[in-house]
């Protein structure tokens, strides 16, 4: 297994008409955009490429758009934003699947206050304690702590967890933070039932395909730094994928985000994960 490593998007851009682009670890580090990203987005726009921001952010897309705007990445830099928060809201609004129809309407929320409006305007009501809830809605850690205690109580009550971000962790400004996916794993270890919305699940890719229809999937490239989310999800959706090694992997390896990966090390970590990208790139530059 040899994974091609390209130094910039210029080497492969002509092969694709659209990109599904991850945010954290690819476009920015949670605080600021990586060097070269804004230029790369501008060049893709000039080349008439369609770019859908596809993020496991546990918030509604307009919040992510506002954060990008604050980083000088305006709406003209991309075609649309789809988040795992959007997918969660749509799933609970539509109640199409049996599990969503069975949830009830009262939920105990676990996550940051800034993301607590995820279900605002829908037929759901937040409650303070698991004992008063029909289900648990998790977007991540909160500002006051005590997450494990809430999970223990909810599991004891047999509440279903709705996880609005399957990611296990994120690196924000060089500091690792747990994501909702980490709490989902712990909840399952307690015997709890979890429904995850977001990459690598099919529902977020289907939302992208609706926007890009009738574009041939062979002309769509998924770009991300998560093997278990971005790359696995792309494979399941029938897409080529580009692994950005300057995100989670660079942090795990203790290297600068722009340093090219050692081929043997890259192939070993992909083999261990059981998924191989079409190609890899150190950082998302032109």
């Amino acid at each position: 297994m040899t994974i091609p490593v390209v130094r910039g998007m210029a080497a492969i851009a002509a092969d694709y008409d659209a990109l599904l682009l991850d945010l954290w670890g690819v476009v920015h580090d949670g605080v600021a955009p990586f060097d070269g990203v804004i230029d790369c987005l501008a060049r893709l726009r000039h080349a008439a490429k369609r770019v859908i921001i596809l993020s496991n952010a546990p918030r509604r897309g307009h919040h992510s758009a506002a954060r990008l705007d604050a980083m000088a990445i305006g709406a003209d830099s991309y075609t649309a934003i789809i988040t795992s928060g959007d997918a969660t809201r749509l799933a609970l609004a539509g109640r199409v699947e049996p599990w969503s129809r069975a949830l009830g309407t009262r939920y105990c929320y676990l996550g940051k206050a800034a993301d607590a409006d995820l279900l605002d305007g829908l037929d759901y009501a937040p409650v303070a304690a698991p004992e008063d809830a029909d289900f648990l809605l998790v977007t991540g850690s909160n500002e006051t702590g005590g997450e494990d205690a809430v999970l223990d109580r909810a599991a004891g009550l047999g509440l279903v967890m709705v996880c609005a971000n399957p990611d296990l962790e994120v690196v924000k400004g060089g500091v690792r933070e747990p994501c909702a996916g980490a709490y989902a794993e712990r909840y399952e270890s307690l015997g709890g039932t979890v429904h995850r919305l977001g990459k690598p699940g099919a529902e977020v890719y289907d939302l992208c395909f609706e926007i890009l229809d009738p574009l041939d999937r062979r002309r769509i490239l998924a770009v991300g730094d998560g093997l278990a989310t971005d790359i696995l999800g792309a494979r399941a959706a029938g897409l080529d994928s580009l692994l950005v090694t300057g995100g989670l992997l660079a942090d795990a390896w203790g290297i600068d985000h722009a340093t090219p990966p050692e081929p043997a090390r890259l192939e070993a970590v992909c083999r261990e994960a059981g998924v191989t990208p079409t190609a890899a790139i150190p950082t998302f530059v032109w």
Side-chain angles (χ1 to χ4, degrees):
M1 173 180 64
T2 300
I3 302 171
V5 177
V6 299
R7 297 305 299 265
M9 285 299 303
I12 58 174
D15 296 332
Y16 303 98
D17 297 318
L19 284 71
L20 308 186
L21 185 63
D22 188 31
L23 279 181
W24 287 72
V26 176
V27 172
H28 61 69
D29 65 354
V31 177
F34 292 114
D35 291 343
V37 163
I38 293 177
D39 171 70
C40 187
L41 288 170
R43 291 176 181 270
L44 289 168
R45 182 175 67 248
H46 182 72
K49 307 298 181 182
R50 302 176 72 183
V51 175
I52 294 182
I53 302 295
L54 180 58
S55 170
N56 271 356
R59 60 192 62 91
R60 297 164 70 178
H62 67 272
H63 291 311
S64 292
R67 291 189 179 191
L68 287 175
D69 193 60
M71 296 180 187
I73 300 175
D76 61 343
S77 298
Y78 50 86
T79 304
I81 293 181
I82 294 174
T83 68
S84 58
D86 290 329
T88 301
R89 181 179 172 88
L90 286 170
L92 297 190
R95 292 181 177 270
V96 173
E97 300 296 331
W99 68 264
S100 59
R101 291 197 297 270
L103 279 180
T105 60
R106 299 171 302 168
Y107 65 93
C108 180
Y109 174 72
L110 182 59
K112 291 182 169 53
D115 300 325
D117 68 342
L118 187 57
L119 301 185
D120 281 7
L122 302 182
D123 186 24
Y124 293 93
V127 296
E131 290 76 12
D132 299 321
D134 298 317
F135 68 97
L136 189 63
L137 175 65
V138 181
T139 64
S141 58
N142 59 32
E143 290 87 355
T144 58
E147 294 90 353
D148 285 348
V150 172
L151 296 179
D152 290 341
R153 289 159 60 193
L157 294 163
L159 299 185
V160 170
M161 175 193 286
V162 177
C163 172
N165 175 2
D167 287 356
L168 298 178
E169 62 183 358
V170 70
V171 180
K172 183 177 181 180
V175 178
R176 286 180 176 260
E177 293 185 2
C179 294
Y183 297 117
E185 283 198 347
R186 184 177 187 280
Y187 201 63
E188 287 174 328
S189 76
L190 297 171
T193 297
V194 177
H195 292 285
R196 294 171 172 83
L197 283 304
K199 296 178 288 186
E203 68 285 332
V204 288
Y205 294 93
D206 289 341
L207 293 172
C208 295
F209 297 146
E210 288 178 12
I211 295 171
L212 297 174
D213 185 64
L215 189 60
D216 189 330
R217 293 191 187 189
R218 291 173 295 182
R219 300 289 299 177
I220 303 173
L221 177 68
V223 184
D225 70 328
L227 285 166
T229 50
D230 302 297
I231 307 306
L232 181 62
R235 184 179 70 181
L239 304 178
D240 283 358
S241 61
L242 180 66
L243 175 66
V244 177
T245 61
L248 289 170
L249 288 179
D251 184 75
W253 291 338
I255 63 174
D256 181 81
H257 82 279
T259 300
E262 298 177 9
R265 197 175 197 181
L266 174 60
E267 290 166 12
V269 74
C270 291
R271 186 164 50 249
E272 181 179 357
V275 62
T276 303
T278 307
I281 190 172
T283 187
F284 188 66
V285 297
W286 185 253

